């Protein structure tokens, strides 16, 4: 039987004719009488060869889609495997780096502890030896005085004047030892007191490669409505334009200023105090960033930036803005750049919690980019942002 009971294979069960047509509506092969007079009258019928060709075209199109999707999944699988390999390698490298960094810190602390304990032991030995010397002299003097005192005590009982006079002369003139008046030394604990951990931490900074760097603002790039402090570590937005020279390197539309120190290698970290400002922009940009007209914060434009608006909204300006969930509003933002590693990270500098990290590949030197934005009406207090300087 063929196609839903239409007769023997190749023949119509009702009319006995060959099944040479295909009914598209019911998707069955039919004979000529079925198509003209029978139950398939009025349906769209085509020759079986034509229907087969059409179905094969549909099948081919479906196969193309399946192969395309299969190719896409293969590519995706390869990407997943590459990422798995990269994750394994990067995690192992990071673990090794962490172990090396902490080993360096432990070695430093062990060395500091050893030096300090040896110093304490040496000082203790010196003090004890000096006290032993004084003790010996005191005992020697006391013993001699006792020898002189005994005859004096005996003469107190006699009535012989010459004997008393003789003993008195001996006691007064026969003392070969000087009175021991050397100062009594003590163990001076105050030499070792004070903020021990802080002192060690300050020395530890000498071995730490990345500490907050005291960067400065390049006043020649500052928008005319931005005032740069004398020490060039603070920038204050102003309502009125300042009397500045208009140069090609100065921003004329965006209220931005660049940092003075260029970054073209190594790892760098600095912090910016934002206090209670309700809006600001912080990041890094290629030194070739446009200074005229509006600029767009995008990595594809050579800018990696974090923005803050309305007193609560933090956004990472990736190729699409990414709103961040920040529970603790930091007063200071840390910015970390690993040039060779292609990393720009932003931190809550008080909690040392990562806010956002960009991964990229740098092709030009970078400059820090800052904006305190416009003057915030009704906001009391100072509206400046300041580059934090770690006082040593």
């Amino acid at each position: 039987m063929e196609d839903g009971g239409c007769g023997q294979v190749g023949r119509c069960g009702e009319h006995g004719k060959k099944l040479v047509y295909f009914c598209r509506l019911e998707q069955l092969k039919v004979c000529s009488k079925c198509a003209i007079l029978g139950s398939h009258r009025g349906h769209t019928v085509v020759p079986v060869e034509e229907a087969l060709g059409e179905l094969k075209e549909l099948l081919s199109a479906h196969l193309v889609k399946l192969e395309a999707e299969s190719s896409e999944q293969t590519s995706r699988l390869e990407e997943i495997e590459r990422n798995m390999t990269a994750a394994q390698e990067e995690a192992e490298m990071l673990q090794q780096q962490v172990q090396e960094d902490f080993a360096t810190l432990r070695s430093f602390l062990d060395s500091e502890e050893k030096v300090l304990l040896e110093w304490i032991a040496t000082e203790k030995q010196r003090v004890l030896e000096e006290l032993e010397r004084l003790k010996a002299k005191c005992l020697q003097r006391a013993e001699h005085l006792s020898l002189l005192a005994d005859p004096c005590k005996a003469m107190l009982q006699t009535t012989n004047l010459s004997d008393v006079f003789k003993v008195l002369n001996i006691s007064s003139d026969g003392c070969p030892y000087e009175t021991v008046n050397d100062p009594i030394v003590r163990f001076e604990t105050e030499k070792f007191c004070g903020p021990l951990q802080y002192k060690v931490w300050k020395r530890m900074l000498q071995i730490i490669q990345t500490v907050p760097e005291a960067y400065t603002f390049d006043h020649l790039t500052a928008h005319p409505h931005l005032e740069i402090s004398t020490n060039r570590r603070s920038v204050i937005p102003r309502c009125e334009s300042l009397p500045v020279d208009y140069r090609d390197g100065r921003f004329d539309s965006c209220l931005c200023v660049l940092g003075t120190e260029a970054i073209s290698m190594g790892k760098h970290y600095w912090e910016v105090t934002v206090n209670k400002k309700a809006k600001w922009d912080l990041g890094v940009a290629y030194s070739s960033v446009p200074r005229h007209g509006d600029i767009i914060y995008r990595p594809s434009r050579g800018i990696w930036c974090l923005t803050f608006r309305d007193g609560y909204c933090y956004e990472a300006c990736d190729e699409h803005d990414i709103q961040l969930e920040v529970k603790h509003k930091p007063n200071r933002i840390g910015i970390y750049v690993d040039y060779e590693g292609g990393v720009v990270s932003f931190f809550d500098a008080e909690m040392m919690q990562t806010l956002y990290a960009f991964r990229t590949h740098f092709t030009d030197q970078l400059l820090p980019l800052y904006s305190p934005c416009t003057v915030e009406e009704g906001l009391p207090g100072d509206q400046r942002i300041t580059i934090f300087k770690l006082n040593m």
Side-chain angles (χ1 to χ4, degrees), residues 66 100 167 220 226 238 242 254 288 291 293-294 351 364:
L66 291 176
E100 291 176 357
V167 170
L220 297 179
L226 298 180
R238 297 300 186 191
L242 300 173
C254 293
S288 58
R291 317 291 171 84
D294 294 333
M351 309 290 289
D364 196 0

Side-chain angles (χ1 to χ4, degrees), residues 252-272:
D252 59 11
S253 181
C254 293
L255 267 71
C256 293
V257 59
L258 295 174
T260 305
E261 296 79 10
I263 298 172
S264 57
M265 62 181 296
K267 299 174 182 178
H268 304 267
Y269 177 74
W270 66 102
E271 297 178 354
V272 183

Side-chain angles (χ1 to χ4, degrees), residues 237-293:
R238 297 300 186 191
C239 294
E240 302 297 331
S241 178
L242 300 173
V244 295
D245 293 333
Y246 284 84
R247 302 170 179 265
D248 289 339
R250 189 182 296 280
F251 290 97
D252 59 11
S253 181
C254 293
L255 267 71
C256 293
V257 59
L258 295 174
T260 305
E261 296 79 10
I263 298 172
S264 57
M265 62 181 296
K267 299 174 182 178
H268 304 267
Y269 177 74
W270 66 102
E271 297 178 354
V272 183
T273 302
V274 294
N275 293 318
K276 296 182 179 180
K277 281 188 62 62
K279 53 185 176 181
W280 44 257
D281 306 335
L282 299 174
V284 294
Y286 283 142
S287 57
S288 58
V289 62
R291 317 291 171 84
H292 305 299

